[in-house]
Every structure is written in C-alpha cells, then in structure tokens.
Amino acid sequence: MDPTAVNVHRFRVRYGETDQMGTFYNARALEWFEVGRTELLRQLGVPYAEMETRGVYLPLVEAHLSFQGRARYDDELEMRTSVAQAGRARLRFDVAITRAEDGAAVTAGHTIHAITNQAGRPIRPPAWLGEMVG
Amino acid sequence: MDPTAVNVHRFRVRYGETDQMGTFYNARALEWFEVGRTELLRQLGVPYAEMETRGVYLPLVEAHLSFQGRARYDDELEMRTSVAQAGRARLRFDVAITRAEDGAAVTAGHTIHAITNQAGRPIRPPAWLGEMVG
Amino acid sequence: MDPTAVNVHRFRVRYGETDQMGTFYNARALEWFEVGRTELLRQLGVPYAEMETRGVYLPLVEAHLSFQGRARYDDELEMRTSVAQAGRARLRFDVAITRAEDGAAVTAGHTIHAITNQAGRPIRPPAWLGEMVG
Amino acid sequence: MDPTAVNVHRFRVRYGETDQMGTFYNARALEWFEVGRTELLRQLGVPYAEMETRGVYLPLVEAHLSFQGRARYDDELEMRTSVAQAGRARLRFDVAITRAEDGAAVTAGHTIHAITNQAGRPIRPPAWLGEMVG
C-alpha cells in the first residue's frame, strides 16, 4: 500500500453548517475531518466500519485546527486527507480543506488517534493496519 | 405520579445553533425536544439513561414541528414538555418552546415514540412506565 | 420546467451523525432534508444561495418526519426530493430516504416553507419561482 | 475586572451529542467550548451578543483539543473557562471539562481568536475589551 496515499474528497457546505457570521460553524470542521478519515480508510482498503467489526477502534486523542479562510453555504470544498503512524500505537491524520473553485485555504489541521478495542483500551496495532498506513 | 406533569426547562441558544439567517437552525429544535424529554423523565423519577439500563428504549417514530417565531443566539428559551400514552405501545411527547423574556412562541411540536428493547423490537410497556406517564 | 421533477441525491451517514443506539440521530434527518432541497433547487435551475441573493428566502414553517428504518454509519442513502406549491405563498418539499443497497425505507417526510424577504416577511412569489416549481 | 476570572458552567451531555461509541462525539466539544466563552464573557460584563452589536467579532483562528476521558449521555459536566490576551490582537480562551460527579478529566483545550469587524478584518481591540480580559 502506498504510504503517501492521499484521499481527495469533494463536498458542499450545508445550510445547517453555517452560523450567523454567514460562514461555516467551526465545530463542523471537526466533523468534516472525520468524513475525510472515512473516505481515506475506504480508499486504503479497510473502511472504518469494517475496522470496528474487526474490533479495532480509533478514538480521537487530540485535534488541532487552523481556520484560514471563509467558506459559505453551498460552496464546494476539496478535502485532502493523509495518514501516518505517530509513535508506537497512534495514528495521525492530516487534513487540508480548500475551496474547490479557486483553491483558497479554508481549514487545515490534524488529529491524533489511539488504537484501542471497543472498551477503549489500547491494543497493539494489527499487522494489516500497519501495512495500510505504511 | 401526576399524569399532567409538565417539565419546564430553560436554556440558551448556542452560537453553533444559529445559521446564516441569524436565528436557530431548524434541526436543532429536534435536538432541544430530546433535552425536554430527558428532563421530563428525570422529573417523573426514571431518567432515560436508567430506562435504557432497564432495557427499555424509546426510539423516535414520528416528529412534527411548527416554527412560530425567531430566537437568536444567547436568547433564553423556556421549553415545556409533557408526555402521554398514544395507543397501545407508544408514547407521545408534546413540546412548546417560548422566549423566556416575553413569552413569544418559538417552536412547538410533538414526537411519537415506540417502546422497544435494545434491538429495536416493540415490547409490552413495563408497569412502572405506565405509572410514570399516567 | 417539469413540475414533477425529482432530485435523487446519494450520500453516506457520517460517524458524527450516529448516536449511542448505533443508528443516525433523528435531528440529522432534518439536516439531510435541507441537503435534498438544496440539490433539487440547483437541478431546477436556481440554487438556493442564488435565491437568497435575489432576496427570496424559504424559512421552514412546519416539518413532519416519519422514521421507518435503521441506517448505520457509512451506509449509503438515497434521498428523493420533490417540490410543489402549497396554498398561496408556501412551498412543500417531500422527501423519502432509502438505503441505496437494498431500497429499505429509512425516513420520509415533508417540510412547509414560507416565501419571505430577508426580514422574514411574506412576499408574493416571483414569477420565476412559480415557473420553477410548476 | 479580575484578569484571573474563571467561569464555571455545568451542563449535561445531550443524547444527540453521543455517537455509536456510547460517548460524546468529538466535534461537540468544540461547541461546548463556545458555550464556555459565552458564559465567561457574560460574567465579565459584556455578553458576546452585545460585543457583536458593538461591531467586535472574535472569529476562531485556531483550536486545540485534548480528549482525556469518557462522558456519557446525561452525565453532568463542569466546564472551566478563562481568557487572556495572546499577542497584539488576539485572545486565547482556555477550557477544561471534567465530570461533575467525580472530577474525572474529560476534555481540555484552548482556542485562539482574532479580533475583527463584521467583515472579518482585524481591528485594534477597543479599550473596554482590554479591560475585560485583563
């Protein structure tokens, strides 16, 4: 599996994702990041729903977001997501979101995830996961 | 238990609950209705978290909402919630939300809930539930 | 314009749209309905963002939802949305959401919208809107 | 004004804020942070709604969140929020959320905000704002 794989996902800002400033509400970016992870894992061959079925969970441990530019209702956005191992038993997803129309930066950030069982206890990453993320 | 019990709950509109029209986003009202149910059931003696522990779930079957007036960020709202049996194995919660300051109508509606086990299968309502809702 | 136009939109359930019952949280359906309206109006030739630019707003007056079946994280859903005039100065959007895989019913409902200016005051529907919705 | 002022706000986890892992969905923490800012600014004498009326906006520039422990539906949480100047024209809010029952850490983090006009352009912080945040 290509360790430098990047998922590119396009979506539109929903009306309910705006707030009274007229642009997307900040917490929604964290929800978009999760969509990016979902699409990247599907592209890498093991959808996250399948990972949970195998007993592997990736709870969020840290999130860092930088808000760079505005995006309005119905703007089409392009999200690029990549993943790498971070230390022994953690994964790091990097995300950058731009406006599809002109490439203007909207939001970027990264999230750190533990690798756990359903009860939230850290587990040794299975071999297939290591191969997936390179 | 008083079958005519009404829960009165006050809360403020969150910034993230507004949209670009400057008032609360409609889907949030359905989330508020759920807060009203939670507070009413607590008042009636069996918090919903406790009900799920006892194996009784109340999945939403129908929701009807009427949007009557504006509410802005940080407005204090007053929500009145009541419950009644609806047919054999259903509950109906009625909700009315007004602005605390002047009593202006904001949103009203009702939700219909099945009474099920965790798997979503209808169950005969336990006696304690019948007593609770009158 | 074809008054019987139906928009068909496919999307996946986001992780953040689930709740602890393991299926999508009910309020999210109302957010999905809004996505359906957005996609239908784009298909009919005047995106809603463009309508607001023209000074025409469609605030939600009523919403009715029926929850028919489960949908889980990452399930692909198919949403069919249509629109019709409802009385003098109102629009009604009908929505039906099924699981793309097997066509199982997930949620259906309709929303009633006033036709207003930015201040929320009812306006006479412009001719282009009447032509759009048939 | 006391520059070391801390706002303490209690609230309960909503059902709609959980996800299928049975605990609160991560993006909701960022929404809670905003509630903490709202309550702190009210305590400091100028509610944020009033600030926007005065033409002062505090758009989010950066957010950093650390997820430390679980919180379940209906758990009562205690959020402590404080604010300080960060450089010339920025504010930093620090937030820590614990379970009210036992003080267990749930989430902590901070957000960095620009000080802008409605159009999003940086402005010199008005004197009253400097006095407020110490």
Side-chain angles (χ1 to χ4, degrees), chain B residues 15 38 42 52 73-74, chain D residues 15 31 38 42 52 73-74:
Chain B
Y15 201 94
T38 290
R42 189 195 323 287
E52 287 199 351
Y73 161 62
D74 212 33
Chain D
Y15 201 94
E31 199 171 322
T38 289
R42 188 193 324 286
E52 287 199 352
Y73 161 61
D74 212 33

Side-chain angles (χ1 to χ4, degrees), chain D residues 5-22:
Chain D
V6 172
N7 176 263
V8 180
H9 181 69
R10 289 201 170 197
F11 63 101
R12 287 181 183 274
V13 178
R14 299 175 178 181
Y15 201 94
E17 292 173 340
T18 64
D19 66 23
Q20 68 182 48
M21 285 200 78

Side-chain angles (χ1 to χ4, degrees), chain B residues 4-112:
Chain B
T4 62
V6 172
N7 177 264
V8 180
H9 181 71
R10 290 202 170 194
F11 63 100
R12 286 181 183 275
V13 178
R14 298 175 178 181
Y15 201 94
E17 290 173 341
T18 63
D19 66 23
Q20 69 182 47
M21 285 200 77
T23 56
F24 70 94
Y25 180 64
N26 57 68
R28 294 304 189 127
L30 209 40
E31 200 172 321
W32 296 341
F33 281 20
E34 173 255 292
V35 172
R37 295 194 297 275
T38 290
E39 295 306 324
L40 174 61
L41 293 177
R42 189 195 323 287
Q43 175 178 314
L44 292 178
V46 185
Y48 185 66
E50 164 74 11
M51 287 183 60
E52 287 199 351
T53 302
R54 295 185 189 184
V56 177
Y57 291 73
L58 301 177
L60 198 56
V61 175
E62 283 177 39
H64 304 271
L65 300 99
S66 172
F67 297 90
Q68 304 161 317
R70 297 190 156 202
R72 297 185 170 280
Y73 161 62
D74 212 33
D75 279 355
E76 193 178 19
L77 303 184
E78 183 169 291
M79 177 164 50
R80 306 177 81 80
T81 309
S82 60
V83 63
Q85 296 202 34
R88 293 161 304 156
R90 298 204 160 176
L91 294 181
R92 173 184 164 134
F93 290 83
D94 280 88
V95 186
I97 301 178
T98 54
R99 265 202 317 248
E101 189 183 17
D102 58 7
V106 173
T107 302
H110 69 272
T111 54
I112 306 287

Side-chain angles (χ1 to χ4, degrees), chain D residues 53-99:
Chain D
T53 302
R54 296 185 190 183
V56 177
Y57 290 75
L58 301 178
L60 197 57
V61 174
E62 282 177 40
H64 304 271
L65 302 97
S66 171
F67 297 89
Q68 303 161 317
R70 297 188 155 201
R72 297 186 172 279
Y73 161 61
D74 212 33
D75 278 356
E76 194 178 20
L77 303 184
E78 182 169 294
M79 176 163 51
R80 306 178 80 82
T81 309
S82 60
V83 63
Q85 296 203 33
R88 292 161 304 156
R90 298 204 160 179
L91 294 182
R92 172 184 164 135
F93 290 83
D94 280 88
V95 185
I97 301 177
T98 54
R99 265 202 317 247

Side-chain angles (χ1 to χ4, degrees), chain C:
Chain C
M1 194 76 41
D2 178 4
T4 62
V6 172
N7 177 263
V8 181
H9 181 69
R10 290 201 168 195
F11 63 100
R12 286 180 182 275
V13 178
R14 298 175 177 180
Y15 201 95
E17 291 173 339
T18 63
D19 65 22
Q20 68 183 45
M21 284 201 78
T23 56
F24 70 94
Y25 180 62
N26 56 68
R28 294 304 189 127
L30 210 39
E31 200 172 320
W32 295 341
F33 281 21
E34 172 255 292
V35 172
R37 294 194 297 274
T38 290
E39 295 306 324
L40 174 61
L41 293 176
R42 188 194 325 286
Q43 175 178 313
L44 292 178
V46 186
Y48 185 66
E50 163 74 13
M51 288 183 59
E52 288 200 353
T53 302
R54 296 186 189 182
V56 178
Y57 291 73
L58 301 177
L60 197 57
V61 174
E62 283 177 40
H64 304 272
L65 301 98
S66 171
F67 297 90
Q68 304 161 315
R70 299 190 153 198
R72 297 185 171 280
Y73 161 62
D74 212 32
D75 278 356
E76 194 179 17
L77 303 184
E78 183 169 293
M79 176 163 51
R80 305 177 81 80
T81 308
S82 59
V83 63
Q85 295 203 34
R88 292 162 304 157
R90 298 204 161 178
L91 294 182
R92 172 183 164 136
F93 290 82
D94 280 88
V95 186
I97 302 177
T98 54
R99 263 200 319 247
E101 188 183 17
D102 58 7
V106 173
T107 302
H110 68 272
T111 54
I112 306 288
H113 299 256
I115 303 171
T116 75
N117 61 17
Q118 188 173 12
R121 269 195 215 111
I123 57 171
R124 180 191 301 270
W128 55 263
L129 183 58
E131 282 165 29
M132 251 177 83
V133 305

